[in-house]
Amino acid sequence: MIVTAGVYVIQNIINGKCYVGSSIHLDRRRLEHFSALKHNKHHNIHLQRSFDKHGVDSFEFSILETLDIVDDIKDSPLKREQFWIDNLKPEYNILPI
């Protein structure tokens, strides 16, 4: 199994709003997000409400950037996530930092 680390976006294709996150295991993180959303248990209330309103087919999970993590596996994804948050200004992210 190949594990891919990186930064991702979950975008509402109806209104263009998005959520940016990072993970050291992108495939697993995608499954976790959509499972929580489908079961009405997502930690982000803004994303959850939009998902409830628009439905699963209105959301796309895309990889913004993959990371080749050699030294500090915990720090690198967060730094790149912050870069994308600063540049995309995602509406569903609760905290800007």
Side-chain angles (χ1 to χ4, degrees), residues 37-91:
L37 287 165
K38 288 175 186 175
H39 291 95
N40 199 28
K41 295 185 179 193
H42 200 275
H43 67 275
N44 184 304
I45 191 66
H46 303 298
L47 184 58
Q48 182 68 61
R49 286 182 181 155
S50 185
F51 184 88
D52 293 344
K53 178 179 180 180
H54 298 287
V56 66
D57 293 334
S58 299
F59 289 84
E60 291 181 344
F61 183 99
S62 303
I63 298 172
L64 294 171
E65 176 180 9
T66 58
L67 302 172
D68 182 23
I69 302 171
V70 177
D71 297 321
D72 188 358
I73 199 162
K74 293 181 182 175
D75 193 37
S76 181
L78 293 176
K79 286 181 181 177
R80 296 308 300 159
E81 176 183 347
Q82 189 62 55
F83 168 83
W84 286 102
I85 288 172
D86 292 344
N87 285 282
L88 293 178
K89 303 193 183 341
E91 297 84 355

Side-chain angles (χ1 to χ4, degrees), residues 2 7 9 15 20 26 32 45 55 57 68 70 75 83 97:
I2 297 174
V7 183
V9 61
N15 62 22
V20 171
L26 289 170
E32 290 169 349
I45 191 66
D57 293 334
D68 182 23
V70 177
D75 193 37
F83 168 83
I97 296 176

